[in-house]
Amino acid sequence: MTVRYVARCACGNVELELTGAPVISLVCHCDDCQAGSRLIEALPGAPAILDAGAGTPYLLYRNDRVHGTKGAELLEGYRLKSDSTTSRMVASCCNSAMLARLPSVLHWTPVYRDRIVPPAQPLEMRIQTRFVPADVAVPADLPSVTGVPLRFFTRLIAARVAMTLRL
């Protein structure tokens, strides 16, 4: 039996179906994730995204396991720069951050963890903590690394192999 999760915007007009377990569940503290989250949080009525440590919680799913099931036409992309290859997709009905669209050569989709209908997978780690502002303390609730650990890349490679083999 395949596990299915739903990611839903705050007002319920947009839903994504997430099939299977995520590749990894993490909090990213990189400067782009912080800037993207602040951009979306500044939209009228937008739900909070950044956690107490200035990080953005995500579940990373294989691209073939993320499907829009309701309100896909309401998703609107936000880019940090006009030439950015990453687009943060927001439900325009309630300004809920839903997922990030990465360059097409990448095989994973970050889904904003707070949009997952509980219970979401537990968080596993904090990455890119070197970007945390000096006046913000990184919570000690998870293993934290200043960069990106080997475990992260190992999981992404395993997900790519599984996608290729259609597992």
Side-chain angles (χ1 to χ4, degrees), residues 29-31 34 127-134 138 145-148:
H29 294 268
C30 80
D31 52 356
Q34 289 182 59
I127 65 171
Q128 301 283 19
T129 59
R130 71 178 180 271
F131 293 100
V132 174
V138 176
V145 294
T146 58
V148 181

Side-chain angles (χ1 to χ4, degrees), residues 9 14 18 21 31 36 40 51 54 56 66 78 82 84 99 107 113-114 120 133 136 143 147-148 155 162:
C9 72
V14 177
L18 312 168
D31 52 356
I40 296 167
D51 72 0
T56 303
V66 178
Y78 287 83
S82 61
S84 176
L99 58 98
H107 62 280
R113 187 174 185 275
D114 289 346
V136 174
V148 181
R155 298 252 194 108

Side-chain angles (χ1 to χ4, degrees), residues 6-97:
V6 172
R8 183 178 296 133
C9 72
C11 72
N13 287 325
V14 177
E15 288 187 359
L16 307 171
E17 182 182 69
L18 312 168
T19 307
V23 174
I24 196 162
S25 179
L26 54 80
V27 180
C28 185
H29 294 268
C30 80
D31 52 356
D32 279 355
C33 285
Q34 289 182 59
S37 292
R38 285 191 305 269
L39 173 75
I40 296 167
E41 286 179 335
L43 296 172
I49 301 169
L50 291 168
D51 72 0
T56 303
Y58 293 110
L59 273 71
L60 274 55
Y61 272 88
R62 291 174 17 185
N63 291 344
D64 63 338
R65 293 187 169 185
V66 178
H67 304 284
T69 55
K70 180 179 175 186
E73 70 281 358
L74 297 172
L75 291 173
E76 185 176 336
Y78 287 83
R79 298 175 190 269
L80 292 178
K81 301 173 195 158
S82 61
D83 62 344
S84 176
T85 57
T86 299
S87 185
R88 288 160 177 83
M89 304 304 291
V90 174
S92 60
C93 45
C94 58
N95 288 328
S96 297

Side-chain angles (χ1 to χ4, degrees), residues 131-164:
F131 293 100
V132 174
D135 62 337
V136 174
V138 176
D141 56 345
L142 300 167
S144 298
V145 294
T146 58
V148 181
L150 181 59
R151 180 170 60 158
F152 176 85
F153 290 111
T154 302
R155 298 252 194 108
L156 289 177
I157 291 167
R160 182 60 181 185
V161 169
M163 265 180 75
T164 302

